[in-house]
Amino acid sequence: MTDDAPEAVHAEVDEALLSRLALIDERPLTERSEAYRQLHDELRTRLEATDADAARSA
């Protein structure tokens, strides 16, 4: 990550997520389920890694 303020980083992440969700919504219905599943898996992996890092730091 960069040395940007946390608020700026969160805004970038939020914008990227919203853009990705918009792209998924534009897909045909038959493809959306798999795209949402992949996004869910990626977000879960990031969250679990963040939780593990926090636990190690405590």
Side-chain angles (χ1 to χ4, degrees):
M1 279 246 166
T2 64
D3 290 337
D4 295 338
E7 297 84 19
V9 172
H10 287 294
E12 290 175 19
V13 171
D14 291 347
E15 186 63 33
L17 179 58
L18 291 174
S19 295
R20 189 161 177 196
L21 290 170
L23 289 173
I24 291 172
D25 283 342
E26 291 174 2
R27 292 181 177 194
L29 187 58
T30 57
E31 296 175 14
R32 286 186 210 163
S33 162
E34 179 61 21
Y36 280 123
R37 186 195 63 75
Q38 289 175 357
L39 178 60
H40 172 267
D41 289 346
E42 288 175 32
L43 293 172
R44 184 186 63 227
T45 299
R46 286 185 192 180
L47 180 60
E48 289 172 351
T50 302
D51 287 347
D53 290 344
R56 282 188 218 113
S57 297

